[in-house]
Structures are given as structure tokens and as C-alpha cells.
């Protein structure tokens, strides 16, 4: 059997998912995507997804909402990922070119165990859970997405932040050859987002590698992203290549672009309008009437204490 | 270019009418087969708004094009183009009131007062109404050509408000609003240049010969 295998692979690493992945990469390189999908996944023939690879051993996690999930089709064709174009349908069209293997994430800054972690290790770092979260975009629409991943704190604990670490910065890949949107200075590239360390350590903050039980499609931030469900969507960095722990508040993409409109915190808050539009309501994708937006996107019970005593109008 | 006779102009107008229906036809066709993406209301809002601006630009392009090419029959398309701009603006406004806000008049009133991009967009729409209402030949006669023309110069501020509306609403990528603004500057600039030339030409004529 033809399997391309790096020479330095340890026998212990030849686990079924890895085997599958490499075999799939080989098949894809041979232009046999359809065949690859057929080997492992049963799909309706009408909708063959190039990235439809099931994630193994995913258990259903805590914190999941029971609300109706936004259809896979909508979750994967209506995206803001400016590196692939500013129209919502452009990421789905243009992100196919993103190579997600090999992939590493550099852990830097105020940590005792600064290092570069390969995606295979990241996938195995902690048991994968399904978390069905609400996603509220700053533009006034929302979705319900069954993400797959584990709490970001699992990673953070392992790299041991020093006492100086107060913030975490997430940097998105910026490769002009693969990302046509980078040719336009819409935002400062690379895209960088950040959280306070205690926000990143909150169990809701998700290190995400999949959705709908499958590997994350490129347009949704493959191979690894974060999901911070109580903040507007742009706070959740996609296709992450660097996680940096800092003492001072990192500069963040949308805040740099328009400081008056996008603050560092950007918590979902129906009482604090965007300077140009109201945030009181939202349109759930697939619904006709708008629904009221909930404080902290409905996660107030879990996260409100992070902001006790803070003026949320000032710290928008 | 050779002048067209009435029969030919009638054909051109029919063809133009059908062409002007294409954007809406496409929208209806896509909508009927669920092809408007995950957020169809947003898609309808954006499409009707974009085409309002496009038809406004086409309307404003008639005079400069006629001057440059001598194709005077273009003038016979202008009313139709202007009415299509109004038609799409009305659809755009209806989409906002009905599909987007679902007749939440309090929210709409707040939007108009508090959100500058909605304020200017709404102003542009309100100003378009009298132009559409006075577009018939009978209304031109009733108002008299001078007053009618004065009223219809409102199309200039309307176009500026419309492009501003687009400019102020986009989140960050200004490409399309900038393109519309460039077209508008060109169309209005041409008028200013010609006007300045006319004024100068008149000034050069000896006073005695000015009637």
C-alpha cells in the first residue's frame, strides 16, 4: 500500500486517525478527493464535501445549548474571513487553497514552556468534545454551531504561563500565496486577536478543531481556531499559527482598524450599540424575525463575574 | 452618429426596459430556488440598494454621454432609468421596513434619527419621491419646464446622499463605495466643467451681442 510517511515517525504515533489523514493527503494530491471522502465517510452523494473528515472519539461536552443548529451548509458558506475576501461567500470559494498540513502553532512569550506544537499533537492534547455554542456576529446576525474541540485552558495549563502573563494573543496565518485577501489592506495583517488571560482560561473558551463532528473546513478557520462564545465573532481568531502570552494588552485587528467602533473586550452586549448600528437584536440565520440579543450572548451566568465592577460601556 | 427614427427608439426603449428588469428577475429567480445564501434578507437588501445606486449613476450618465457622443436619443431613456432607480429604492426601503425590521416603527424611527447612514439613506429616498411623482409628461407641463428642471436637480444631492449611505454602512472594505463615489465625481465633475466653459464662453461674447 502506498503511504507517504515522514521518516522520523515514532511507531506509537501511527494511530488510525493519523493513518487516515496521511492516506487522505496522498489521495488528495493525486486528485482523488471524492475517493478520499468515500473511504471513510458516508455522505449523501449530492453533497460531497472536500473537507468532510469525521473526527474520532468526540464526546458531547458541557455548556451546549439545545437550540436548533444552523445547517452545515450555512455555517460553511456564510463566513467572515477577510484573508479570503470580504464577501461572505468568498471564504468558501477561496479557502480551498489553504494547506492545513503540515501546521504548527508557536507558543511564545510569558510562558515557562515556550515551544512549537504540531497540529497532530494539538489534536490529541485533550479529549475532543462537541460544544454547541451560539455565535453572534458584530454585524447583527447569529448562528448555532456544534464546534468540536477542548477548553483552551487545557493548552494554557500545559505551557505554564509565568506570573507576568496577563494577556494572550492569537495570530492568524498570513500567507499571500494562499490567501488572496491579503493583497488588500482592509485590515492590518496578520490578523491578531487577544484575550485577558482569565478570559482565555474560562472553561467556555474553546480550542476548536472541528464542527458538526468533522474536521474544521478551511473557511471556518482550519486547522485550529479559538471560539469565545460570549464575544462578537471577530474575537475568535481563525487558522492560528501563534499564541503569545504578554504582560500588556495586545493590539487587536478590529480595534486597530477602527478603535471607536471595536474595543478590546467586544463582549456581546445588547445595551451597548455599535456606533453605526444597534446591537439590541439579531437575525438568527434561517429565521425571519429578529430576536433580542442576550447579554454576553446568553452566557452571562458563566462569564459576568469576569467583568465585575467594570464599566462595560467604557470597556466595550 | 446618425439620429434614430421613432420606430428604432421605441425598440431601444423596449430593450432597455427588459434589461432593467434583469437584476430584479435574477433576485426573484435566486430567491425562489433558495439561492440567496444563508442570509437572504441581507442579500435582498444589498442587491436592491446596489441597483438603486447603479440606476442613479446610469440616469446621471445620460447627459454627459449625449454630449460626448451626440446620441440625442439617449435622452429618451432617462426617465425610464430614473424610475428604475426609484423602483429599486422603494424595494430597498420596503425590504428594510418589512423583512428587516418587520414594521417595528419604534426601531425604524430610532434608526433614522440615530444612525447617520440610515438618516442619509432615508433622506435620499424621501427626496426621490417627488421626482418619481412628477415624472410624467403631464406633470412637466403642469409645473412648467423651468420649475420642473429646478426640482429635478434634486437628483444631484440624492446621488451624493445615496453614495454616502453606502460609504457609511460598510464595515471596512470601502472598495465598492469608493467606486461609486468615483463614478459620481466624474459625472458631476463633467457637468461643472461644461458649465464653467459655458459661463466663460458667454463672458467672451461682446456685451452688445448678448440677447
Amino acid at each position: 500500500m502506498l503511504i507517504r510517511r515522514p521518516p522520523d515517525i515514532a511507531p506509537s504515533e501511527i494511530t488510525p486517525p493519523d493513518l487516515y489523514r496521511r492516506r487522505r493527503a496522498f489521495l488528495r494530491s493525486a486528485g482523488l478527493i471524492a475517493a478520499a471522502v468515500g473511504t471513510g465517510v458516508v455522505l449523501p452523494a449530492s453533497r460531497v464535501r472536500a473537507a468532510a473528515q469525521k473526527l474520532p472519539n468526540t464526546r458531547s461536552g458541557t455548556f451546549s445549548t439545545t437550540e436548533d443548529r444552523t445547517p452545515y451548509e450555512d455555517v460553511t458558506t456564510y463566513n467572515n474571513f477577510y484573508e479570503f475576501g470580504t464577501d461572505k461567500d468568498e471564504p468558501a470559494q477561496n479557502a480551498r487553497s489553504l494547506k492545513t498540513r503540515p501546521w504548527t502553532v508557536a507558543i511564545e512569550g510569558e510562558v515557562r514552556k515556550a515551544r512549537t506544537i504540531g497540529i497532530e499533537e494539538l489534536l490529541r492534547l485533550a479529549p475532543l468534545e462537541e460544544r454547541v455554542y451560539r455565535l453572534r456576529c458584530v454585524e447583527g446576525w447569529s448562528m448555532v454551531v456544534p464546534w468540536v474541540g477542548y477548553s483552551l485552558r487545557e493548552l494554557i495549563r500545559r505551557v505554564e504561563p509565568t506570573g507576568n502573563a496577563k494577556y494572550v494573543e492569537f495570530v492568524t496565518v498570513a500567507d499571500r500565496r494562499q490567501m488572496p485577501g491579503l493583497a488588500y489592506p482592509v485590515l492590518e495583517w496578520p490578523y491578531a486577536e487577544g484575550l485577558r488571560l482569565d478570559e482565555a482560561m474560562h472553561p467556555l473558551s474553546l480550542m476548536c478543531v472541528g464542527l458538526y463532528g468533522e474536521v474544521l473546513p478551511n473557511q471556518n478557520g482550519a486547522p485550529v481556531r479559538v471560539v469565545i462564545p460570549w464575544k462578537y465573532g471577530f474575537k475568535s481568531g481563525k487558522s492560528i499559527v501563534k499564541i503569545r502570552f504578554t504582560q500588556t494588552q495586545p493590539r487587536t485587528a478590529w480595534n486597530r482598524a477602527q478603535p471607536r467602533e471595536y474595543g478590546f473586550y467586544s463582549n456581546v452586549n445588547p445595551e451597548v450599540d455599535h456606533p453605526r448600528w444597534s446591537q439590541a437584536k439579531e437575525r438568527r440565520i434561517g429565521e425571519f424575525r429578529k430576536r433580542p440579543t442576550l447579554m454576553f450572548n446568553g452566557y452571562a451566568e458563566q462569564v459576568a463575574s469576569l467583568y465585575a465592577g467594570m464599566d462595560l460601556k467604557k470597556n466595550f | 452618429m446618425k439620429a434614430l427614427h421613432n420606430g428604432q427608439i421605441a425598440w431601444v426603449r423596449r430593450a432597455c426596459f427588459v434589461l432593467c428588469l434583469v437584476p430584479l428577475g435574477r433576485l426573484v429567480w435566486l430567491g425562489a430556488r433558495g439561492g440567496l445564501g444563508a442570509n437572504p434578507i441581507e442579500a435582498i437588501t444589498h442587491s436592491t440598494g446596489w441597483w438603486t445606486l447603479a440606476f442613479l449613476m446610469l440616469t446621471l450618465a445620460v447627459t454627459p454621454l449625449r454630449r460626448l457622443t451626440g446620441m440625442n436619443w439617449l435622452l429618451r431613456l432617462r426617465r425610464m432609468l430614473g424610475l428604475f432607480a426609484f423602483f429599486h429604492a422603494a424595494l430597498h426601503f420596503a425590504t428594510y421596513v418589512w423583512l428587516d425590521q418587520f414594521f417595528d416603527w419604534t426601531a425604524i424611527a430610532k434608526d433614522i434619527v440615530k444612525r447617520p447612514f440610515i438618516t442619509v439613506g432615508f433622506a435620499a429616498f424621501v427626496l426621490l419621491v417627488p421626482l418619481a411623482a412628477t415624472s410624467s409628461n403631464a406633470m412637466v407641463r403642469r409645473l412648467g419646464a423651468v420649475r420642473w428642471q429646478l426640482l429635478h436637480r434634486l437628483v444631484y444631492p440624492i446621488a451624493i446622499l445615496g453614495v454616502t449611505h453606502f460609504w457609511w454602512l460598510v464595515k471596512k472594505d470601502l472598495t465598492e463605495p469608493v467606486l461609486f463615489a468615483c463614478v459620481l465625481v466624474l459625472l458631476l465633475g463633467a457637468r461643472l466643467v461644461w458649465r464653467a466653459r459655458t459661463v466663460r464662453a458667454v463672458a467672451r461674447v461682446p456685451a452688445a451681442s448678448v440677447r
Side-chain angles (χ1 to χ4, degrees):
Chain A
M1 200 165 143
L2 241 174
I3 301 169
R4 229 171 20 192
R5 186 189 294 174
D8 57 342
I9 188 157
S12 61
E13 278 185 59
I14 309 176
T15 52
D18 278 336
L19 188 75
Y20 182 96
R21 222 166 276 128
R22 273 192 298 281
R23 188 165 141 223
R24 189 169 165 279
F26 169 74
L27 288 170
R28 186 161 46 182
S29 70
L32 295 170
I33 295 165
V37 171
T39 54
V41 188
V42 182
L43 275 179
S46 60
R47 201 213 261 168
V48 178
R49 305 173 196 153
Q53 183 197 321
K54 280 262 181 275
L55 285 166
N57 311 322
T58 301
R59 51 184 193 190
S60 83
T62 41
F63 305 119
S64 282
T65 169
T66 53
E67 290 164 88
D68 286 346
R69 299 161 185 214
T70 306
Y72 181 90
E73 181 81 15
D74 292 340
V75 174
T76 55
T77 56
Y78 190 76
N79 308 101
N80 276 325
F81 198 163
Y82 279 18
E83 286 86 334
F84 294 107
T86 55
D87 284 345
K88 297 280 191 301
D89 56 347
E90 282 181 316
Q93 294 161 22
N94 296 336
R96 257 170 266 176
S97 57
L98 183 71
K99 268 180 61 191
T100 57
R101 294 291 186 287
W103 192 280
T104 58
V105 179
I107 313 285
E108 296 179 358
E110 296 288 349
V111 281
R112 268 180 276 278
K113 293 187 172 165
R115 53 182 289 238
T116 298
I117 306 184
I119 186 67
E120 280 76 17
E121 188 186 341
L122 266 180
L123 281 162
R124 280 196 311 261
L125 196 91
L128 296 182
E129 294 175 18
E130 179 167 80
R131 304 259 188 104
V132 189
Y133 282 166
R134 287 175 289 273
L135 166 76
R136 169 64 154 80
C137 178
V138 74
E139 294 164 3
W141 52 268
S142 64
M143 292 183 177
V144 175
V145 185
W147 304 107
V148 178
Y150 47 80
S151 285
L152 184 54
R153 62 197 293 178
E154 297 287 345
L155 171 70
I156 295 176
R157 273 193 199 139
R158 282 168 174 80
V159 297
E160 296 177 19
T162 68
N164 289 334
K166 298 282 182 293
Y167 297 90
V168 196
E169 184 187 35
F170 304 92
V171 181
T172 298
V173 66
D175 180 353
R176 287 181 83 119
R177 281 165 309 164
Q178 302 190 71
M179 307 171 107
L182 294 176
Y184 307 95
V186 184
L187 294 169
E188 268 179 58
W189 315 116
Y191 192 94
E193 261 309 332
L195 298 171
R196 238 169 40 192
L197 186 60
D198 60 339
E199 295 177 320
M201 286 294 284
H202 192 280
L204 273 173
S205 293
L206 187 71
M207 194 75 183
C208 170
V209 296
L211 59 82
Y212 269 102
E214 296 171 357
V215 162
L216 210 52
N218 290 353
Q219 62 270 31
N220 295 86
V224 61
R225 64 171 296 172
V226 289
V227 177
I228 318 298
W230 71 93
K231 292 173 179 283
Y232 292 118
F234 66 86
K235 288 298 292 181
S236 300
K238 302 189 180 86
S239 304
I240 290 168
V241 289
K242 193 196 287 181
I243 300 177
R244 206 164 60 94
F245 293 77
T246 61
Q247 196 167 4
T248 52
Q249 187 173 299
R251 298 180 68 219
T252 55
W254 280 96
N255 181 249
R256 272 183 280 177
Q258 274 152 333
R260 274 188 57 251
E261 301 191 344
Y262 308 99
F264 175 78
Y265 286 96
S266 292
N267 293 316
V268 175
N269 188 340
E271 286 147 33
V272 177
D273 286 343
H274 185 281
R276 289 184 283 153
W277 55 81
S278 164
Q279 296 290 26
K281 288 193 221 170
E282 68 199 47
R283 171 161 293 111
R284 178 69 51 87
I285 294 302
E287 290 181 356
F288 178 59
R289 298 282 295 270
K290 286 188 175 179
R291 53 165 72 208
T293 287
L294 305 174
M295 190 65 200
F296 295 114
N297 202 22
Y299 299 98
E301 203 184 308
Q302 289 89 351
V303 301
S305 58
L306 290 172
Y307 311 101
M310 270 175 72
D311 182 351
L312 296 177
K313 277 203 166 67
K314 222 185 271 168
N315 297 287
F316 58 95
Chain B
M1 175 156 172
K2 212 172 59 180
L4 300 183
H5 58 71
N6 279 343
Q8 285 171 314
I9 288 171
W11 273 108
V12 169
R13 288 174 65 173
R14 260 170 243 156
C16 179
F17 185 81
V18 172
L19 267 181
C20 290
L21 282 172
V22 168
L24 183 64
R26 181 185 152 272
L27 202 59
V28 171
W29 186 71
L30 283 176
R33 52 190 290 277
L36 288 176
N39 197 345
I41 296 175
E42 183 189 68
I44 295 167
T45 310
H46 286 175
S47 174
T48 50
W50 197 93
W51 282 101
T52 304
L53 286 179
F55 279 113
L56 273 175
M57 299 301 136
L58 285 171
T59 312
L60 287 170
V62 166
T63 297
L65 271 181
R66 189 170 71 113
R67 253 189 106 134
L68 286 172
T69 64
M71 295 191 283
N72 286 326
W73 53 269
L74 282 171
L75 193 55
R76 308 271 297 263
L77 302 177
R78 190 170 65 178
R79 166 163 50 194
M80 189 196 301
L81 293 171
L83 282 171
F84 265 104
F86 174 72
F87 176 51
H88 283 84
L91 289 174
H92 185 63
F93 183 67
T95 307
Y96 166 71
V97 169
W98 178 29
L99 301 181
D100 190 52
Q101 298 289 342
F102 206 78
F103 309 108
D104 184 346
W105 297 110
T106 332
I108 293 169
K110 247 196 230 163
D111 261 0
I112 292 174
V113 178
K114 273 179 77 176
R115 318 275 164 218
F117 84 92
I118 293 182
T119 315
V120 295
F122 182 70
F125 177 65
V126 168
L127 290 175
L128 263 178
V129 174
L131 303 205
T134 57
S135 64
S136 65
N137 289 338
M139 282 308 286
V140 181
R141 274 195 300 275
R142 252 177 82 176
L143 282 170
V146 176
R147 262 188 294 172
W148 185 89
Q149 202 174 23
L150 200 65
L151 175 67
H152 279 248
R153 290 216 175 111
L154 273 178
V155 73
Y156 305 138
I158 287 168
I160 294 169
L161 289 169
V163 172
T164 310
H165 169 68
F166 194 13
W167 192 294
W168 282 352
L169 79 87
V170 295
K171 206 160 114 202
K172 191 73 214 318
D173 185 0
L174 281 171
T175 316
E176 288 199 40
V178 166
L179 280 176
F180 271 113
C182 289
V183 172
L184 185 61
V185 164
L186 212 68
L187 293 173
L188 297 185
R191 288 170 165 82
L192 284 175
V193 170
W194 278 320
R195 203 193 156 103
R197 274 201 207 147
T198 318
V199 170
R200 253 181 282 139
V202 170
R204 269 200 300 275
V205 177
S209 69
V210 177
R211 283 180 294 240

